[in-house]
Amino acid sequence: MSSSAKITEPARKLDVAWVRQQFPALRQKVNGDPAVFFDAPGGTQVPQRVIDAITNYLSTCNANTGGAFVTSRRTEGMIADARGAMADFFNCATDEVIFGPNMTTLTFAVSRAIGRELKGGDELLVTCLDHDANVSPWVCLEERGVKVRTADVSPAACTLDMFDLSAKIRRNTRLVAVGWAANAVGTINDVNEVVRLAHEAGAMAFVDAVHYAPHGPIDVRALDCDFLACSSYKFFGPHLGILYGKREQLQRVRPYKLRACTELLPDRWETGTQNHECLAGLIATIDYIADAGRHHDASAGTRREAILAAYDVFRQHERELLELLISGLLAIPGLTFYGIKDPAKLDQRTPTVAIRMASRSPRDLATYLGEKGIFTWDGNYYAIDLAERLGVQQSGGMLRIGLSHYNTAEEVERLLEELRRLARK
Ligand SMILES: Cc1ncc(COP(=O)(O)O)c(C=O)c1O
């Protein structure tokens, strides 16, 4: 081997025992069996340090901002730290981070503000694969005479029809709203290409990263999107929404705001008093992810590097569980699988899968599994257009099994065993 040849390091394996120790909720039992949390796309569990940070804020810092006393100053410092943590998470500047109650509310704030600059004849593009939180806020703008088009999906593997999408981006398209990953069936979209197509037509790109954020690293600089929204309760944190906005867009677009609020960033976009205790929890969330990175890769220096190292091991572990899950599901008679299942394409999806079984409704399945301590989800999970497109909306939707890095192969086996038992009945 030449001295310049690169030695490929073996992929690091996730220390699942270390991970699971961090999450107190994982110790719960249901009817004597350990609880299995396959409800991650609806909301993940939180590490102990997040719970402690929330409690600590309320015990030692609880105050509003702008006061001439210590707890108020601590609160302001804590909010600045939370913004710094999210700037590392997104790879952006701190004044490009906007906090709010959840992704839906932040998306409505952006859509209302953008609506002020739209006129009749303008068009917006949404997709058939998205959660309604990235559809309705844009469709509501039709009352201003704007036309909203919908990019279709290819139902065979529930992937975005990129041909249809690019054909629907036209001269008068002002914004393209796309999900990074589909919360119903796990498809990861080619968001780089969608942003590129939007910009090529002079349109803005709004990315819903809610379902992607727990599974993959976000780099808004590399993606070059105009806005990106996510929710920390989907990535091991408290119930909060976080918006990234490109500085020039946050300065240019006019949000509805109070007179008392300054025009400075991020103030002009943040309405009312924030959820301070959850922001304290958010710092601990990002630190958990970074610590997970450092636990597996001691060479990770900055917090950003440590975050990226964490996603490397999370992804590797989730991939192994996903292969086990999909191959097990496909061997069950009478089971319909929705989404990407080709082993060569598993990096184009998250470990969130949707199924139906011939013998039982999704609600019956979820109830049966719930009694066994296995938490899954049934219905459409607000991916209404997709459920309609797949023809399952009128019959209970699908059963969604959503894995996270804190799940284990034994848990996947337990689920498969229960489904096999049901298929034999
Ligand atoms: C993909 C996706 N987008 C948006 C949302 C809405 O997020 P929030 O509850 O923070 O408004 C969800 C919630 O399930 C989601 O899964």
Side-chain angles (χ1 to χ4, degrees):
M1 197 192 320
S2 82
S3 59
S4 62
K6 198 161 181 250
I7 299 166
T8 320
E9 281 186 41
R12 288 184 182 85
K13 250 191 134 31
L14 183 74
D15 182 350
V16 191
W18 179 88
V19 164
R20 288 181 68 86
Q21 253 172 18
Q22 314 283 320
F23 291 83
L26 302 184
R27 288 172 220 142
Q28 291 178 77
K29 292 198 166 179
V30 177
N31 300 328
D33 290 319
V36 175
F37 292 86
F38 286 157
D39 61 336
T44 47
Q45 299 309 309
V46 301
Q48 183 64 47
R49 69 178 85 193
V50 174
I51 302 164
D52 293 344
I54 293 172
T55 309
N56 181 54
Y57 172 80
L58 290 170
S59 321
T60 62
C61 312
N62 194 15
N64 214 326
T65 53
F69 49 91
V70 67
T71 47
S72 181
R73 282 196 291 272
R74 278 183 196 149
T75 294
E76 286 169 6
M78 180 280 295
I79 295 174
D81 288 348
R83 229 179 279 288
M86 282 313 293
D88 283 348
F89 188 75
F90 286 149
N91 193 28
C92 67
T94 49
D95 63 353
E96 294 175 310
V97 174
I98 311 295
F99 294 123
N102 50 55
M103 176 274 184
T104 306
T105 307
L106 286 167
T107 306
F108 265 114
V110 175
S111 79
R112 274 191 218 102
I114 288 178
R116 297 172 96 177
E117 61 184 43
L118 299 179
K119 53 184 188 324
D122 284 343
E123 293 192 2
L124 307 174
L125 182 62
V126 299
T127 90
C128 183
L129 198 52
D130 271 52
H131 186 286
D132 199 41
N134 200 24
V135 177
S136 281
W138 308 112
V139 171
C140 286
L141 297 177
E142 284 188 328
E143 66 192 22
R144 306 182 79 98
V146 168
K147 174 144 186 66
V148 178
R149 296 182 179 274
T150 305
D152 201 4
V153 290
S154 310
C158 298
T159 47
L160 257 191
D161 181 340
M162 289 299 282
F163 185 73
D164 187 57
L165 181 135
S166 62
K168 285 178 175 157
I169 299 180
R170 293 139 51 103
R171 205 175 17 85
N172 44 353
T173 305
R174 298 285 166 253
L175 179 134
V176 179
V178 66
W180 196 324
N183 69 314
V185 289
T187 316
I188 297 177
N189 295 319
D190 186 353
V191 278
N192 284 292
E193 178 61 3
V194 178
V195 172
R196 194 192 66 73
L197 287 167
H199 286 173
E200 193 177 67
M204 289 177 274
F206 184 100
V207 177
D208 171 2
V210 171
H211 182 58
Y212 179 77
H215 304 293
I218 294 173
D219 184 340
V220 290
R221 287 271 174 274
L223 183 57
D224 193 34
C225 55
D226 298 277
F227 297 95
L228 177 143
C230 62
S231 313
S232 50
Y233 73 95
K234 310 280 193 181
F235 59 90
F236 328 115
H239 289 89
L240 277 181
I242 310 111
L243 173 76
Y244 155 79
K246 210 181 246 184
R247 187 181 291 130
E248 68 198 61
Q249 297 291 16
L250 291 176
Q251 280 165 344
R252 189 189 62 77
V253 178
R254 284 187 313 124
Y256 286 94
K257 62 176 277 297
L258 302 186
R259 285 172 306 166
C261 234
T262 73
E263 283 292 354
L264 297 174
L265 293 184
D267 292 16
R268 74 192 296 248
W269 284 90
E270 285 181 351
T271 44
T273 305
Q274 295 296 313
N275 187 331
H276 297 164
E277 52 273 31
C278 284
L279 288 173
L282 180 62
I283 303 170
T285 306
I286 301 299
D287 283 341
Y288 159 70
I289 297 174
D291 266 7
R294 292 196 187 97
H295 182 76
H296 294 87
D297 180 357
S299 73
T302 64
R303 181 162 55 187
R304 173 80 190 157
E305 284 167 4
I307 291 168
L308 298 180
Y311 277 106
D312 272 354
V313 280
F314 291 176
R315 279 208 288 205
Q316 170 69 22
H317 177 70
E318 290 177 1
R319 170 69 183 252
E320 283 166 22
L321 297 187
L322 182 63
E323 281 172 21
L324 191 66
L325 176 65
I326 294 185
S327 58
L329 290 173
L330 295 180
I332 296 176
L335 184 144
T336 310
F337 185 95
Y338 300 88
I340 297 171
K341 57 181 181 227
D342 179 348
K345 294 191 174 156
L346 294 187
D347 56 349
Q348 292 168 31
R349 61 167 305 139
T350 67
T352 295
V353 306
I355 59 163
R356 281 181 69 105
M357 280 177 77
S359 50
R360 283 170 190 252
S361 71
R363 172 46 58 122
D364 279 356
L365 284 175
T367 306
Y368 173 87
L369 292 169
E371 275 157 19
K372 304 282 175 197
I374 303 174
F375 307 161
T376 58
W377 218 279
D378 67 285
N380 63 25
Y381 349 102
Y382 286 17
I384 306 170
D385 298 322
L386 180 67
E388 271 167 8
R389 185 74 173 80
L390 296 174
V392 296
Q393 173 66 11
Q394 302 307 322
S395 54
M398 298 167 281
L399 182 82
R400 180 177 69 182
I401 305 152
L403 310 186
S404 177
H405 73 284
Y406 51 60
N407 290 124
T408 65
E410 293 73 43
E411 290 179 331
V412 172
E413 274 304 344
R414 241 180 87 190
L415 169 90
L416 290 171
E417 193 41 49
E418 291 299 344
L419 292 178
R420 282 185 213 113
R421 200 189 314 262
L422 279 177
R424 284 196 296 270
K425 276 187 182 171

